[in-house]
């Protein structure tokens, strides 16, 4: 293996037991250095309003979790939704598409989807895409929750 230069590609152990132990060590090292969640969604109830606090980013890899959360809330009668974006670092156009698809569902159940605590760049994108006519955007969570009264 050394002569052919394969020593850099292959690891040789003295016994099968040693080789298996190497795999176990590698697996536990992966567990310790596991990448943090790409999207974490906290759900908080504020009377009849549900606040979704988004941490991380929304892209094609995390869309399913967002979709599942929104569907579950609306199906359970929680249609007054505030989306707190203070800890959201990125949202793709597909991510906005998920919110667009749920705004009419929320409204048909007597609710709405409203945003708060958006970064300036996100507000600019919403305005450029004309979505400011579809979604209310509030400066603070309290203002967004109060807008449902």
């Amino acid at each position: 293996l050394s002569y052919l230069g394969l020593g850099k590609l292959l690891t040789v152990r003295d016994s099968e037991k040693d080789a298996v132990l190497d795999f176990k060590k590698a697996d536990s090292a992966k567990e310790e250095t596991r990448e943090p969640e790409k999207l974490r969604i906290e759900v908080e109830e504020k009377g009849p309003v549900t606040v979704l606090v988004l941490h991380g980013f929304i892209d094609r890899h995390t869309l399913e979790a967002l979709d599942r959360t929104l569907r579950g809330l609306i199906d359970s009668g929680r249609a007054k939704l505030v989306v707190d974006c203070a800890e959201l670092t990125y949202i793709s156009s597909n991510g906005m598409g998920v919110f667009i698809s749920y705004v009419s569902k929320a409204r048909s159940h007597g609710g709405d989807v409203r945003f708060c605590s958006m970064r300036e760049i996100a507000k600019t994108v919403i305005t450029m895409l004309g979505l400011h006519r579809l979604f209310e955007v509030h400066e603070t969570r309290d203002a967004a929750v109060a807008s449902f009264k």
Side-chain angles (χ1 to χ4, degrees), residues 29-38 57:
K30 284 180 189 173
E31 288 288 322
E32 291 173 15
T33 61
R34 178 173 285 150
E35 199 174 302
E37 290 179 294
K38 292 176 168 70
F57 57 92

Side-chain angles (χ1 to χ4, degrees), residues 59-75:
D59 65 3
R60 65 186 179 93
H61 301 290
T62 59
L63 285 176
E64 187 177 322
L66 178 63
D67 182 69
R68 189 174 43 249
T69 300
L70 290 168
R71 184 177 341 111
L73 289 168
I74 290 175
D75 287 350

Side-chain angles (χ1 to χ4, degrees), residues 1 5-12:
L1 293 176
L6 297 176
K8 296 178 183 175
L9 297 174
L10 303 172
T11 303
V12 177

Side-chain angles (χ1 to χ4, degrees), residues 89-110:
T89 55
Y90 173 79
I91 183 166
S92 68
S93 57
N94 289 337
M96 282 308 297
V98 171
F99 289 113
I100 291 167
S101 72
Y102 278 97
V103 73
S104 61
K105 293 173 188 171
R107 289 176 181 164
S108 71
H109 287 85

